Amino acid sequence: VVDIIVNNIELENLNSFELYPNPTDGLVNLQLSLNVVQNGSLRLFNVSGQQISLFEFKGTSELSHRIDLSTQPQGVFSP
């Protein structure tokens, strides 16, 4: 299980947030759409609470990012 946290994004500015496929055993696609240009970060944690990835973004309202989880145990993630 992987938990995903997006920092510095206010819910009223969020148009859409997609993570797929779920469950996964490798690559995960993230698509984020905001109604304003913002900076933020995306942090991924494993089931033990250890941070396994950090991705920072600056000055964007549209984000498409591929996350490699192939080194993590097969399972599901929760946004």
Side-chain angles (χ1 to χ4, degrees):
V1 173
V2 175
D3 288 318
I4 300 169
I5 298 174
V6 180
N7 291 325
N8 302 330
I9 301 295
E10 296 181 23
L11 288 179
E12 61 267 13
N13 294 332
L14 185 62
N15 290 330
S16 66
F17 183 85
E18 295 182 58
L19 289 163
Y20 58 90
N22 188 12
T24 186
D25 62 1
L27 296 176
V28 176
N29 298 296
L30 163 72
Q31 292 184 329
L32 177 71
S33 175
L34 305 167
N35 58 21
V36 295
V37 173
Q38 284 192 236
N39 301 331
S41 64
L42 171 75
R43 298 185 299 155
L44 282 72
F45 296 87
N46 66 17
V47 71
S48 300
Q50 299 168 312
Q51 183 173 304
I52 58 174
S53 180
L54 170 65
F55 174 72
E56 296 180 323
F57 53 92
K58 296 183 187 232
T60 189
S61 63
E62 298 288 329
L63 178 66
S64 182
H65 186 65
R66 185 171 247 180
I67 303 163
D68 185 0
L69 297 177
S70 62
T71 60
Q72 300 301 310
Q74 187 173 355
V76 299
F77 52 84
S78 58

